[in-house]
Amino acid sequence: MTADQRIAVHHSGSPAIREISVADKEAGPYGITTGPDGALWLTLVHGGRIARLTLDGELEEYPLDSAECRPSVIAPGPDGALWFTRSQDHRIGRITTDGEAESFLVPTPDSGPFGITAGPDGAMWFTQMNTGRIGRIAGDGEITEFPLPVEGAFPAAITTGPDGALWFTLNQANAIGRITTDGDIALHPLPTPGAAPVGITSDGEALWFVEIAAGRIGRISTDGGITEFPLPDRTARPHAIVAAAIGDCWFTEWGANRIGHITANGEITEYDLPSPSSEPHGIALGPDGALWSALETGGVARVAPWRNAGARSVSVRT
């Protein structure tokens, strides 16, 4: 099947943003990543499906064994497959590039797995929103769980840091967490109260994260030093973030219908999406060097990797 495509420019001089329709709005594209096969892989959170999209627009969908499992975040694994969280039925899913899927039940009931990433130890690491734990799943499906030292923390996104540890956001504890592959945990409180961090990424030197409630982008060094950069629109509700290079990060503004870019010194550039209220969630660096975002209303958006071509730019920090 070939996806429907649209080209749009939001005003004169700004970069063209290509939107591709991949599903109806009830399916809800949510997570997105680049697979080892050079295609983009998406979760259809409301449809219980995984989708594969090639750069030339070829689309394949793979129904999961439960239409209501809510596949959420997806990431490539060290085994050449894609791994994803199923937040509704509390399982970790795995799908090969040929579309063969299986899943593994998280031992703690009602765990609500959400974020997932490949660890430095050959396993996948994931967060458990509902039960305040970090999980590790080996290639054979064996799961180990590590309880957090705080109740009601709501761990969200997770990524591997440049120090060989796993770093994660604590949405309700207002902190950034770090866990070693041996299970040692440290928490770093955020300066801004009620910031509600969600997405997190590593640029190879530091960790960058978004504060959905405070409308800020944060940077944390591996020694725990935190800098926050407020967005021009504090109600933009930044959701996910990905690093393209050191000091070069891109993020979604779910509440403002934009894709944003931030540099190491805090310069922020924003690009309006062509379709109104498209609900950008996940974001990934594509195999073509462009930025790709999942739009929950039924599409994906591609933003070419050029800078400052007519978009508004502002440098602010606190």
Side-chain angles (χ1 to χ4, degrees), residues 219-261:
R219 179 187 186 275
I220 182 169
S221 61
T222 54
D223 61 5
I226 296 173
T227 306
E228 296 175 300
F229 305 93
L231 297 175
D233 177 3
R234 303 294 286 279
T235 66
R237 298 189 70 78
H239 178 81
I241 188 167
V242 66
I246 293 173
D248 180 4
C249 294
W250 294 77
F251 55 93
T252 55
E253 295 185 10
W254 173 70
N257 203 49
R258 290 192 291 259
I259 303 296
H261 175 256

Side-chain angles (χ1 to χ4, degrees), residues 1-3 21-23 42 51-54 56-61:
M1 171 167 57
T2 301
S21 177
V22 296
L42 299 106
R52 177 184 184 271
L53 178 68
T54 66
D56 59 5
E58 291 298 317
L59 180 70
E60 296 287 342
E61 290 188 8

